[in-house]
Amino acid sequence: MDDRKIRNMEEFAEVVGISRPTLSKYFNDPESVRKSTRTRIEGALEQYDYRPNIFAINQNRKLTKNIGIVVPYLADPFFAEIARNLEMLVIGSGYRPILLSSHGTAAQENDNLESLRAIKPAGALLAPLGRRSDKAAVESFCRAVPSVLFDSNISGLGEAFVGHDNDQATALICDYLCRSGQPPAFLEMRDPTNPNAYRRRKAYCDVMERMGHPVHLLQVDGNGWDFERIGLEGGIKLIDGGDLPTDTILCSNDRIAIGMLAAAYQRGLRVGLGPGCALRVAGHDDHPFSRYTCPPLTTVSQGYDIIAERSVERLFSLIESGQRAEKRDEIYLEGKLVMRLSA
């Protein structure tokens, strides 16, 4: 028997090397996991003399098996992919996901939260609108329901936040673009919808100043979630007006970059590296479509699967403990550079 004291299921998951959702599924119903997994868990229980809080688990069984998932705009493939990962993890833990889209409006987000509260979910995974959210409504919901926020961080709300490290990721792609060609200008919406855009803008400015390069913010008009159209129309205006201060454009997100690629095509500008190329275009997020653009888009990735996994693990640790968190966690996951032909 190992003398190490295992205090909770999170520590047990770490030493065993099995995800929290799978452990949760086992403790709810041992026969629901594969025999090899069951044998591994039971061996570890003996090795570490760990016993879960059966009282808390039994209390949780009195709750509904519903887990709310709220995203700002399900038509965006970025959020659709994260939601798909969340749903599969929730189902794998023996719970029922209830997926709702806020369609980009605070009114719909509030309606979603009220609908979820009415069915008394065991917990919720929320990607709030951010700046456009009714903060009081989100705060009220999070007080009533154990909640983990992802993608969009509203300070102080929910038991935890899991999301992308915008500072690290923006610095990573700026460094690559500066090493491989002209320093980039930053293309963004003048009034961004998602709060991550503001963090990326600041990170870009900080990196350029630290590296001794000029800061060029190219701000285009537009609002809402039709990013490709905004990137296309804004890109055409910039090209036609001769307002591109460099041949390298870093876009706030991949969807704006897709619009910029279309603008360059319409104006007969070849995008990419090497002879004959007039522009380099890069994005941020590794959007599901970014590898299929022409040319394929250089970007910096968000780990959809890891963000989903860590969010679900953190939520189920709350549900299984039967207690609210004493301190809010903020978990930031690093991005990875994805080099393709556009830059």
Side-chain angles (χ1 to χ4, degrees), residues 264-281:
Y265 177 81
Q266 288 193 21
R267 290 301 184 259
L269 300 179
R270 184 177 178 184
V271 175
L273 289 167
C277 293
L279 280 178
R280 295 193 303 159
V281 176

Side-chain angles (χ1 to χ4, degrees), residues 47-78:
Q47 178 182 354
Y48 295 101
D49 193 29
Y50 170 71
R51 292 296 177 269
N53 187 337
I54 300 299
F55 172 76
I57 291 175
N58 287 336
Q59 286 294 103
N60 288 331
R61 285 175 177 159
K62 296 177 183 178
L63 298 172
T64 70
K65 287 289 187 177
N66 298 322
I67 298 292
I69 302 173
V70 179
V71 297
Y73 199 72
L74 193 55
D76 187 328
F78 173 83

Side-chain angles (χ1 to χ4, degrees), residues 39-276:
T39 300
R40 185 176 169 187
I41 293 172
E42 289 169 353
L45 287 172
E46 292 300 323
Q47 178 182 354
Y48 295 101
D49 193 29
Y50 170 71
R51 292 296 177 269
N53 187 337
I54 300 299
F55 172 76
I57 291 175
N58 287 336
Q59 286 294 103
N60 288 331
R61 285 175 177 159
K62 296 177 183 178
L63 298 172
T64 70
K65 287 289 187 177
N66 298 322
I67 298 292
I69 302 173
V70 179
V71 297
Y73 199 72
L74 193 55
D76 187 328
F78 173 83
F79 288 109
E81 182 64 14
I82 290 183
R84 183 186 69 81
N85 280 275
L86 291 171
E87 283 188 308
M88 297 307 296
L89 289 166
V90 168
I91 291 169
S93 299
Y95 283 73
R96 291 184 296 270
I98 307 296
L99 176 61
L100 300 170
S101 172
S102 298
H103 301 296
T105 72
Q108 185 61 54
E109 184 172 82
N110 289 352
D111 287 346
N112 290 339
L113 297 179
E114 286 304 311
S115 296
L116 283 178
R117 194 190 298 213
I119 63 173
K120 296 181 171 57
L125 298 156
L126 309 178
L129 295 172
R131 292 176 58 248
R132 298 182 182 179
S133 291
D134 180 343
K135 185 175 180 179
V138 179
E139 183 176 15
S140 175
F141 178 87
C142 291
R143 283 199 303 265
V145 178
S147 301
V148 171
L149 275 60
F150 66 95
D151 184 67
S152 177
N153 188 10
I154 301 180
S155 180
L157 301 191
E159 311 285 333
F161 168 75
V162 179
H164 183 55
D165 188 337
N166 288 292
D167 291 344
Q168 175 270 338
T170 303
L172 183 67
I173 196 163
C174 284
D175 176 71
Y176 165 72
L177 294 172
C178 290
R179 284 188 289 106
S180 56
Q182 292 185 14
F186 189 75
L187 177 60
E188 63 171 350
M189 293 167 58
R190 196 176 308 279
D191 183 22
T193 300
N194 190 293
N196 287 314
Y198 290 94
R199 297 184 179 94
R200 293 172 188 177
R201 173 200 296 169
K202 183 178 185 305
Y204 162 79
C205 294
D206 290 345
V207 171
M208 291 295 102
E209 290 175 358
R210 185 166 65 247
M211 297 177 71
H213 296 306
V215 172
H216 297 296
L217 296 178
L218 306 177
Q219 298 181 323
V220 297
D221 294 326
N223 54 64
W225 292 82
D226 194 2
F227 297 123
E228 292 85 359
R229 177 186 58 79
I230 293 168
L232 169 63
E233 294 177 355
I236 287 176
K237 288 181 180 180
L238 290 168
I239 294 169
D240 289 350
D243 296 325
L244 297 180
T246 169
D247 68 7
T248 303
I249 309 301
L250 172 60
C251 300
S252 179
N253 63 54
D254 285 352
R255 292 183 61 193
I256 290 176
I258 290 171
M260 185 65 199
L261 289 175
Y265 177 81
Q266 288 193 21
R267 290 301 184 259
L269 300 179
R270 184 177 178 184
V271 175
L273 289 167

